Amino acid sequence: LSRSVVASSWKVLSSSMTYCAAPFNSVRIESTRDSGASYRPCCMYKSSDQTYSNLTEYLQGTELQQLQQHFSLPGALPESCSACRYQEANGQTSLRQHFNSKFNQSQKITQLEIFPGNVCNLQCFMCDKNSIDKFLYRYLHKAHLINQ
């Protein structure tokens, strides 16, 4: 879907109850234990099990393209956006509404959220149990709450 088509439809879509600017303007990268990183348009999005090895792969991937296409047409919010649907149904301002007011007609990634996580293998003594998972493991082991 070309950006000019999306931009020309902005006024109709932005007033729609289903448009969301996040897939066009935002990327959230989170560290994960299993795959290294997950990529999503926002923190509320329930992504599929699709994995990406880097940001470019995510931006060119079919999941994001399908989501952008979904939001470029009138219709219901996708199942992966159920958190915003729930908030709006209960009279709260959703993240979708926030993104729509923040990004206007922009059709390029202008927001990048990076969450490196707390997985670490260095076990630095300067960290406490809230900082890294290895410290917590060592803490529980010394407290004899786990074996090994």
Side-chain angles (χ1 to χ4, degrees), residues 8 10 19 25 41 44 46 92 97 119 121:
S8 66
W10 170 257
Y19 178 77
N25 303 113
M44 304 295 256
K46 305 291 186 225
Q92 300 171 336
Q97 293 168 324
V119 177
N121 64 357

Side-chain angles (χ1 to χ4, degrees), residues 26-30 38-47 58:
S26 176
V27 176
R28 181 181 176 98
I29 304 171
E30 295 180 37
S38 71
Y39 299 84
R40 305 185 290 166
C42 73
C43 62
M44 304 295 256
Y45 181 77
K46 305 291 186 225
S47 61
Y58 166 73

Side-chain angles (χ1 to χ4, degrees), residues 2 41 60 65 88:
S2 74
Q60 296 173 352
Q65 290 177 2
E88 292 169 18

Side-chain angles (χ1 to χ4, degrees), residues 82-94 97:
S82 59
C84 285
R85 186 178 336 140
Y86 178 81
Q87 287 179 316
E88 292 169 18
N90 288 294
Q92 300 171 336
T93 301
S94 70
Q97 293 168 324

Side-chain angles (χ1 to χ4, degrees), residues 129-143:
K129 65 182 184 247
N130 297 315
S131 300
I132 60 172
D133 65 331
K134 298 291 185 196
F135 185 93
L136 183 58
Y137 174 82
R138 189 172 62 222
Y139 174 80
L140 294 173
H141 179 67
K142 286 186 177 184

